[in-house]
Amino acid sequence: MEMRNVKLILSYDGTEFHGFQTQPNLRTVQGLLQSTLEGIVGHSVSIIGSGRTDAGVHARGQVVNFSTSSRVPIEKWPIVLNTKLPDDLVIQDAELVPDDWHARFHATGKEYRYRIDRSPYTDVFLRKFCHHVPYPLCIEPMREAARQLVGRHDFTSFCAANTPVTNKVRHLYAVELIEEGTLLTIVCRGEGFLYNMVRIIAGTLLDVGRGKLSPDEIPGILAACDRTHAGLTAPAKGLTMWKVFYT
Amino acid sequence: MEMRNVKLILSYDGTEFHGFQTQPNLRTVQGLLQSTLEGIVGHSVSIIGSGRTDAGVHARGQVVNFSTSSRVPIEKWPIVLNTKLPDDLVIQDAELVPDDWHARFHATGKEYRYRIDRSPYTDVFLRKFCHHVPYPLCIEPMREAARQLVGRHDFTSFCAANTPVTNKVRHLYAVELIEEGTLLTIVCRGEGFLYNMVRIIAGTLLDVGRGKLSPDEIPGILAACDRTHAGLTAPAKGLTMWKVFYT
């Protein structure tokens, strides 16, 4: 039976998911997608994701691939799946890829966005996708601190403690702040990210924004290679996996 | 006991409400706000809204007023209420108003926004606040049709049939279309609106956008004074009461 390798771009509202990765008896993106696909194609399916997202984290452009003998025309995959999936998981695109194409190994970079609602009281329409920060933030120091993070650094201070990864050097291409009214978005683009890295960057930039930390302290925090030197891990609901890059 | 008249600006995600107006045994905005207020002030409270919204319709700036003997400082009302309210109903502002001030009688106009998601597949972050329209829409004819609706007209054709209102003449100040990426927003400002009026305007403009109706037919539809001549009532979830105007 000839197998086809299918790439999917998916978006999800992470609120009601226990993260991306399959876990027994829990509602996860990978688990739900797998069981839905298996119901359509009639054989077992293994889903490879570009990377995991934690419970409560959203995705606009998560990428997965899977191999199937199904003859569903490639352009029909989004509609076939969206008809069966619940409304908090939406397939945005499908593409036929070479047999050896791998959503994780072939990813060359990722963009995450951390969104902050600066309204005095919660914006009811953004409440599930933003971290609500009602206190005033000074944006220019946050931008200055963001610039200090760009480049190739050991990000041990910006990685959840006890993460079983030995090499914590990563290359951050950009950390940008976009203001749109009361919405503040921290855009992080890099070759790869450590566990909780964007949420710790967001928490640290928030400390800078409220004057608890100076932008000048960022190089020292990086150099310390100690998680306790950076800010708190900002809440999951503000984080969205925005885009995965492939060459 | 000296009574104070308090004006509140409230926002809500209408998804889980059976509309604004109190109904026995149903979760409504007015009912929830009333019971929450009564729990705080310790006396019965009567809430006057600027107008009703239907089940599933949202509000960014709904306005209400109520009379109370409570000595809660006026600027504390949002935080006092928001602490007790669920997260789909958020108080945005409070103001002390004269005793005779009335949220409905003193309103001089309203702005509603009808939002349309034109993504090929649903935007998962806007799915509860937009009507998803995946087919192509021609915006210029929609703008031309919108201009034909502006002004003082008998809007019987744009009002739910069997509505017990005799005078269906209303003054529409503006009907504007705003494009932001795949999001299309129909902004309607007027002195007052009939039952389902904005949703029928949206449904009719969508018919124009997909070429089912020409902008030239709008004057005839208005003149017919017959609900069956206009387009379908667009879904509730796309509609948001945006702002209420007072002089």
Side-chain angles (χ1 to χ4, degrees):
Chain A
M1 183 71 85
E2 197 207 335
M3 299 297 273
R4 288 174 180 179
N5 194 7
V6 177
K7 170 189 174 185
L8 298 176
I9 297 181
L10 38 143
S11 57
Y12 45 87
D13 172 350
T15 313
E16 303 293 330
F17 287 104
H18 292 265
F20 178 80
Q21 195 182 30
T22 300
Q23 294 182 69
N25 305 318
L26 290 176
R27 187 176 190 262
T28 66
V29 174
Q30 192 181 26
L32 179 60
L33 186 58
Q34 182 181 325
S35 60
T36 306
L37 273 170
E38 290 179 345
I40 293 167
V41 304
H43 61 71
S44 73
V45 170
S46 164
I47 290 165
I48 297 160
S50 75
R52 304 171 191 174
T53 53
D54 276 344
V57 173
H58 318 287
R60 197 195 71 132
Q62 167 69 290
V63 177
V64 303
N65 70 291
F66 66 96
S67 188
T68 180
S69 60
S70 161
R71 295 292 89 125
V72 170
I74 190 69
E75 71 279 7
K76 295 289 180 202
W77 271 113
I79 196 89
V80 165
L81 278 163
N82 288 336
T83 306
K84 302 207 180 265
L85 289 168
D87 74 349
D88 54 352
L89 173 54
V90 179
I91 310 299
Q92 295 294 342
D93 199 13
E95 193 188 332
L96 210 56
V97 284
D99 287 352
D100 66 346
W101 193 90
H102 191 284
R104 183 153 53 91
F105 297 157
H106 291 155
T108 55
K110 285 203 185 99
E111 179 177 318
Y112 281 93
R113 297 196 173 194
Y114 196 90
R115 295 194 280 186
I116 296 158
D117 168 20
R118 298 177 295 169
S119 311
Y121 306 103
T122 314
D123 182 324
V124 80
F125 305 116
L126 293 175
R127 73 190 189 281
K128 294 183 175 177
F129 313 118
C130 285
H131 173 35
H132 181 233
V133 173
Y135 49 81
L137 294 172
C138 295
I139 303 303
E140 279 316 312
M142 292 177 76
R143 289 214 162 97
E144 179 51 34
R147 276 190 287 273
Q148 311 269 6
L149 291 167
V150 173
R152 198 167 187 81
H153 301 287
D154 184 319
F155 281 99
T156 302
S157 297
F158 293 87
C159 175
N162 306 318
T163 305
V165 176
T166 45
N167 179 6
K168 290 177 180 166
V169 175
R170 292 293 182 276
H171 194 152
L172 262 186
Y173 305 137
V175 183
E176 288 159 4
L177 276 75
I178 302 171
E179 290 189 86
E180 295 163 280
T182 53
L183 181 67
L184 174 65
T185 303
I186 302 170
V187 180
C188 291
R189 265 191 303 278
E191 62 166 5
F193 292 87
L194 297 163
Y195 188 55
N196 279 354
M197 182 166 154
V198 180
R199 291 167 59 189
I200 299 170
I201 289 175
T204 306
L205 293 183
L206 284 170
D207 279 349
V208 173
R210 61 185 172 186
K212 218 182 121 186
L213 209 63
S214 148
D216 303 340
E217 295 177 74
I218 299 293
I221 295 172
L222 282 166
C225 288
D226 179 344
R227 171 68 189 90
T228 65
H229 286 237
L232 294 177
T233 306
K237 70 175 186 172
L239 185 60
T240 303
M241 180 192 269
W242 204 258
K243 200 173 175 180
V244 186
F245 300 101
Y246 297 92
T247 41
Chain B
M1 184 72 83
E2 196 206 336
M3 299 297 273
R4 289 174 179 180
N5 195 7
V6 176
K7 169 189 173 185
L8 298 176
I9 297 182
L10 39 142
S11 57
Y12 44 88
D13 171 351
T15 312
E16 304 292 332
F17 287 105
H18 293 265
F20 178 81
Q21 197 182 28
T22 300
Q23 294 183 68
N25 305 318
L26 290 177
R27 187 176 189 264
T28 66
V29 174
Q30 192 180 26
L32 180 60
L33 186 58
Q34 183 181 326
S35 60
T36 306
L37 273 170
E38 291 179 344
I40 294 167
V41 304
H43 61 71
S44 73
V45 170
S46 164
I47 290 165
I48 297 160
S50 75
R52 303 171 192 174
T53 52
D54 276 344
V57 173
H58 318 287
R60 198 196 69 131
Q62 168 70 289
V63 177
V64 303
N65 72 291
F66 66 96
S67 189
T68 180
S69 60
S70 162
R71 295 291 91 123
V72 170
I74 190 68
E75 71 279 6
K76 296 286 181 203
W77 271 114
I79 197 88
V80 165
L81 279 163
N82 288 337
T83 306
K84 301 206 181 268
L85 289 169
D87 74 349
D88 55 351
L89 174 54
V90 179
I91 309 300
Q92 296 294 342
D93 200 14
E95 194 187 333
L96 210 55
V97 285
D99 288 352
D100 65 346
W101 193 90
H102 191 284
R104 182 153 52 93
F105 297 156
H106 291 155
T108 55
K110 284 202 187 98
E111 179 177 318
Y112 281 94
R113 297 196 172 193
Y114 197 90
R115 294 193 282 184
I116 296 158
D117 168 21
R118 299 177 294 168
S119 311
Y121 305 102
T122 315
D123 182 323
V124 78
F125 306 115
L126 293 175
R127 71 190 191 281
K128 294 184 175 177
F129 313 119
C130 285
H131 173 34
H132 180 233
V133 173
Y135 50 80
L137 294 171
C138 294
I139 303 304
E140 278 318 312
M142 292 177 76
R143 288 215 163 96
E144 179 52 33
R147 277 191 286 273
Q148 310 270 5
L149 290 166
V150 174
R152 198 169 187 81
H153 302 286
D154 185 319
F155 281 99
T156 301
S157 297
F158 292 86
C159 175
N162 307 318
T163 304
V165 176
T166 44
N167 179 6
K168 290 178 181 165
V169 174
R170 292 292 182 278
H171 194 152
L172 261 186
Y173 304 137
V175 184
E176 289 160 3
L177 277 74
I178 302 171
E179 291 188 86
E180 295 163 281
T182 53
L183 181 66
L184 175 66
T185 303
I186 302 170
V187 180
C188 290
R189 267 191 303 277
E191 62 166 4
F193 291 86
L194 298 162
Y195 188 55
N196 279 357
M197 182 166 155
V198 180
R199 290 168 59 189
I200 299 169
I201 288 175
T204 305
L205 293 183
L206 283 172
D207 279 350
V208 173
R210 61 183 174 189
K212 218 182 121 186
L213 209 63
S214 149
D216 303 340
E217 295 177 74
I218 299 293
I221 294 172
L222 282 166
C225 289
D226 179 344
R227 171 68 190 90
T228 65
H229 286 236
L232 295 176
T233 306
K237 70 174 184 171
L239 185 62
T240 303
M241 180 191 268
W242 205 257
K243 200 172 175 181
V244 185
F245 300 101
Y246 297 92
T247 40

Short mmCIF file of all heavy atoms in Angstrom, two decimals, chain B residues 18 31 37 84-85 113-114 142 163 173 195 231:
data_model
loop_
_atom_site.label_atom_id
_atom_site.label_comp_id
_atom_site.label_asym_id
_atom_site.label_seq_id
_atom_site.Cartn_x
_atom_site.Cartn_y
_atom_site.Cartn_z
N HIS B 18 -28.50 33.74 27.99
CA HIS B 18 -29.77 33.74 27.25
C HIS B 18 -30.22 35.18 27.07
O HIS B 18 -31.35 35.54 27.42
CB HIS B 18 -30.82 32.92 28.00
CG HIS B 18 -30.52 31.46 28.04
ND1 HIS B 18 -31.02 30.55 27.13
CD2 HIS B 18 -29.70 30.74 28.84
CE1 HIS B 18 -30.55 29.34 27.38
NE2 HIS B 18 -29.75 29.44 28.43
N GLY B 31 -30.19 39.36 34.98
CA GLY B 31 -30.48 38.52 36.15
C GLY B 31 -29.24 38.29 37.00
O GLY B 31 -29.27 38.42 38.23
N LEU B 37 -25.51 42.19 42.53
CA LEU B 37 -25.64 43.49 43.19
C LEU B 37 -26.41 43.36 44.50
O LEU B 37 -26.02 43.94 45.52
CB LEU B 37 -26.37 44.48 42.27
CG LEU B 37 -25.48 45.25 41.29
CD1 LEU B 37 -26.34 46.00 40.27
CD2 LEU B 37 -24.56 46.23 42.03
N LYS B 84 -16.77 39.44 42.01
CA LYS B 84 -17.85 38.47 42.25
C LYS B 84 -18.45 37.90 40.96
O LYS B 84 -19.07 36.82 40.98
CB LYS B 84 -18.97 39.13 43.06
CG LYS B 84 -18.48 39.66 44.40
CD LYS B 84 -19.59 39.72 45.43
CE LYS B 84 -19.09 40.26 46.74
NZ LYS B 84 -18.64 39.20 47.67
N LEU B 85 -18.30 38.62 39.86
CA LEU B 85 -18.93 38.17 38.61
C LEU B 85 -18.06 37.11 37.92
O LEU B 85 -16.85 37.10 38.07
CB LEU B 85 -19.12 39.36 37.67
CG LEU B 85 -20.19 40.38 38.07
CD1 LEU B 85 -20.08 41.64 37.21
CD2 LEU B 85 -21.59 39.77 37.93
N ARG B 113 -21.65 46.63 16.14
CA ARG B 113 -20.70 46.14 15.15
C ARG B 113 -21.00 44.68 14.82
O ARG B 113 -21.20 43.87 15.74
CB ARG B 113 -19.26 46.28 15.65
CG ARG B 113 -18.90 47.72 15.88
CD ARG B 113 -17.42 47.93 16.00
NE ARG B 113 -17.15 49.37 16.04
CZ ARG B 113 -15.95 49.91 15.89
NH1 ARG B 113 -14.90 49.13 15.68
NH2 ARG B 113 -15.79 51.21 15.92
N TYR B 114 -21.06 44.41 13.55
CA TYR B 114 -21.26 43.03 13.11
C TYR B 114 -19.97 42.56 12.46
O TYR B 114 -19.49 43.15 11.51
CB TYR B 114 -22.43 42.90 12.13
CG TYR B 114 -22.85 41.46 12.03
CD1 TYR B 114 -23.81 40.93 12.87
CD2 TYR B 114 -22.19 40.59 11.16
CE1 TYR B 114 -24.14 39.59 12.85
CE2 TYR B 114 -22.50 39.24 11.13
CZ TYR B 114 -23.48 38.75 11.98
OH TYR B 114 -23.79 37.41 11.97
N MET B 142 -20.96 46.19 -1.40
CA MET B 142 -21.49 46.19 -0.03
C MET B 142 -21.46 47.61 0.53
O MET B 142 -22.41 48.06 1.19
CB MET B 142 -20.68 45.26 0.89
CG MET B 142 -20.82 43.77 0.56
SD MET B 142 -19.78 42.70 1.60
CE MET B 142 -20.70 42.69 3.16
N THR B 163 -43.10 42.23 15.05
CA THR B 163 -42.61 43.00 16.19
C THR B 163 -43.67 44.04 16.55
O THR B 163 -44.13 44.77 15.69
CB THR B 163 -41.29 43.72 15.81
OG1 THR B 163 -40.37 42.74 15.35
CG2 THR B 163 -40.70 44.46 16.98
N TYR B 173 -27.26 56.83 11.26
CA TYR B 173 -26.26 57.87 11.02
C TYR B 173 -25.13 57.37 10.12
O TYR B 173 -24.56 58.13 9.35
CB TYR B 173 -25.64 58.33 12.35
CG TYR B 173 -26.64 58.82 13.36
CD1 TYR B 173 -26.55 58.45 14.70
CD2 TYR B 173 -27.69 59.67 12.97
CE1 TYR B 173 -27.46 58.91 15.64
CE2 TYR B 173 -28.61 60.12 13.92
CZ TYR B 173 -28.49 59.73 15.24
OH TYR B 173 -29.40 60.18 16.16
N TYR B 195 -35.92 45.49 16.33
CA TYR B 195 -35.56 44.12 16.68
C TYR B 195 -34.92 43.41 15.48
O TYR B 195 -35.49 43.34 14.39
CB TYR B 195 -36.80 43.38 17.17
CG TYR B 195 -36.49 42.02 17.74
CD1 TYR B 195 -35.55 41.88 18.77
CD2 TYR B 195 -37.09 40.88 17.23
CE1 TYR B 195 -35.24 40.63 19.28
CE2 TYR B 195 -36.78 39.63 17.75
CZ TYR B 195 -35.85 39.52 18.77
OH TYR B 195 -35.55 38.27 19.27
N GLY B 231 -32.53 40.42 3.23
CA GLY B 231 -31.79 39.16 3.38
C GLY B 231 -32.10 38.45 4.69
O GLY B 231 -32.91 38.92 5.50
#
